[in-house]
C-alpha cells in the first residue's frame, strides 16, 4: 500500500524567501515520487520526479527535491520565491513495478507568495 | 502539440442520466488514468489503464466505468450519476509509470 502526507495545507512566504513544501510517503516497495503544480483553473503540470537515480532532483522553474529514504521524505524547495510560484502543489507516489499505473496523491499545499 | 484533450470542460446534468467524458491523447502513451479532485482531498485515482484492453481500479472506482479500446482514447462513463459525483475530473497519460503523468485541462461536472 502507498500513501502520501503533505504537511501544511497552506504555506505563505515572502517574495525572495526560501520555499519549503513537505512531503512524506509510505510505500512497501521502492517508490517513484513526483511533484506537480496546479495553477488556478488549470490541469496539473509535472515539476520533477524521483526514479531511483540521483537523490537530489532538479525540476522546472528552479525547484528541486531531495529523496531521503531514512526519513521517507521528498520535500520540495526553491531558494528564492517568485510571485509566479503562487499555486497549489501536489506530491505523488507510485510503486515501482507492482501495480504499475496506480498512483496516490497528497492533499495538496497552497503556496502564497507575499510581495 | 502533445496534449491530453478532455471534453466537455463543463457539464451540468441531472441525477441518473448517463454521461460520458471523453479523453484522448496524441503522444502514443501506454498509461492513462482518471482522477477526481475535491477540495481538501487532493486527487484520487478512479481507474487507470496500462494499455489497450487493460484497466484496473484506483482508489474510488464506485459509480464509474472505463474502457480502453484504442490506445489514444480512455472515456469515463457514469451510468447513473449522483450528486456526490459532483467534482473536477482530470484525465492523464504517461509513456511509463516512472515518467509522471501529462494532465488534461479538466472537466467540471455538476450533478443536480
Amino acid at each position: 500500500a502507498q500513501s502520501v502526507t503533505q504537511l501544511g495545507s497552506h504555506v505563505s512566504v515572502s517574495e525572495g524567501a526560501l520555499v519549503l513544501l513537505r512531503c512524506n510517503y509510505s510505500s512497501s516497495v521502492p517508490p517513484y515520487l513526483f511533484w506537480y503544480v496546479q495553477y488556478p483553473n488549470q490541469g496539473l503540470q509535472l515539476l520533477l520526479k524521483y526514479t531511483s537515480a540521483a537523490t537530489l532532483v532538479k525540476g522546472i522553474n528552479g525547484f528541486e527535491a531531495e529523496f531521503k529514504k531514512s526519513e521517507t521524505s521528498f520535500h520540495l524547495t526553491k531558494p528564492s520565491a517568485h510571485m509566479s510560484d503562487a499555486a497549489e502543489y501536489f506530491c505523488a507516489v507510485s510503486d515501482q513495478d507492482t501495480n504499475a499505473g496506480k498512483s496516490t496523491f497528497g492533499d495538496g499545499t497552497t503556496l502564497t507568495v507575499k510581495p | 502539440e502533445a496534449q491530453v484533450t478532455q471534453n466537455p470542460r463543463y457539464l451540468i446534468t441531472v441525477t441518473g442520466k448517463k454521461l460520458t467524458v471523453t479523453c484522448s491523447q496524441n503522444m502514443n502513451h501506454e498509461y492513462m488514468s482518471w482522477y477526481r479532485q475535491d477540495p481538501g482531498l487532493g486527487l484520487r485515482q478512479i481507474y487507470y489503464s496500462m494499455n489497450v484492453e487493460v484497466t484496473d481500479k484506483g482508489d474510488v472506482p464506485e459509480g464509474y466505468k472505463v474502457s480502453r479500446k484504442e490506445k489514444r482514447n480512455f472515456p469515463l462513463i457514469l451510468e447513473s450519476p449522483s450528486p456526490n459525483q459532483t467534482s473536477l475530473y482530470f484525465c492523464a497519460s504517461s509513456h511509463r509509470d516512472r515518467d509522471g503523468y501529462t494532465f488534461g485541462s479538466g472537466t467540471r461536472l455538476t450533478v443536480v
Side-chain angles (χ1 to χ4, degrees):
Chain A
Q2 54 189 212
S3 66
V4 174
T5 301
Q6 291 185 237
L7 299 174
S9 58
H10 291 85
V11 171
S12 181
V13 301
S14 297
E15 191 173 19
L18 171 71
V19 175
L20 171 60
L21 304 182
R22 300 177 188 274
C23 172
N24 288 90
Y25 70 91
S26 171
S27 176
S28 55
V29 297
Y32 298 131
L33 293 160
F34 309 89
W35 276 99
Y36 292 86
V37 60
Q38 184 181 31
Y39 299 103
N41 300 314
Q42 294 187 27
L44 281 75
Q45 179 182 5
L46 182 66
L47 268 180
L48 49 79
K49 60 187 177 186
Y50 167 76
T51 58
S52 74
T55 56
L56 181 63
V57 180
K58 295 187 184 299
I60 61 172
N61 301 339
F63 285 93
E64 62 181 37
E66 186 172 9
F67 172 70
K68 291 187 176 180
K69 184 178 179 179
S70 61
E71 299 177 8
T72 61
S73 69
F74 191 56
H75 301 332
L76 182 71
T77 61
K78 182 174 181 178
S80 176
H82 192 272
M83 297 296 290
S84 60
D85 295 327
E88 189 161 20
Y89 292 80
F90 293 93
C91 182
V93 62
S94 65
D95 289 342
Q96 291 191 33
D97 301 325
T98 61
N99 297 319
K102 190 175 193 310
S103 61
T104 301
F105 281 71
D107 292 344
T109 298
T110 300
L111 176 66
T112 301
V113 182
K114 299 175 292 185
Chain B
E1 179 188 355
Q3 60 186 0
V4 177
T5 302
Q6 297 178 229
N7 280 296
R9 286 295 306 277
Y10 300 92
L11 179 59
I12 301 175
T13 190
V14 296
T15 299
K17 185 176 181 181
K18 181 180 178 179
L19 66 90
T20 299
V21 183
T22 64
C23 174
S24 180
Q25 50 95 2
N26 63 1
M27 297 166 280
N28 201 37
H29 283 169
E30 280 71 29
Y31 292 86
M32 297 189 74
S33 184
W34 277 103
Y35 299 87
R36 60 177 290 174
Q37 183 178 20
D38 301 289
L41 297 179
L43 277 80
R44 292 178 291 169
Q45 195 173 34
I46 303 171
Y47 271 96
Y48 59 99
S49 169
M50 290 74 77
N51 215 322
V52 175
E53 302 291 2
V54 182
T55 63
D56 206 349
K57 297 177 180 179
D59 294 319
V60 288
E62 296 78 18
Y64 304 94
K65 286 176 57 177
V66 293
S67 68
R68 187 93 181 272
K69 293 183 171 58
E70 305 167 284
K71 197 172 187 179
R72 64 183 291 122
N73 296 323
F74 191 46
L76 179 69
I77 303 159
L78 285 71
E79 294 271 4
S80 183
S82 63
N84 64 12
Q85 293 178 299
T86 292
S87 187
L88 179 58
Y89 291 86
F90 287 101
C91 181
S93 73
S94 176
H95 177 51
R96 302 174 300 177
D97 56 346
R98 70 188 65 187
D99 292 337
Y101 278 102
T102 299
F103 280 78
S105 298
T107 295
R108 188 167 292 281
L109 172 65
T110 302
V111 184
V112 298

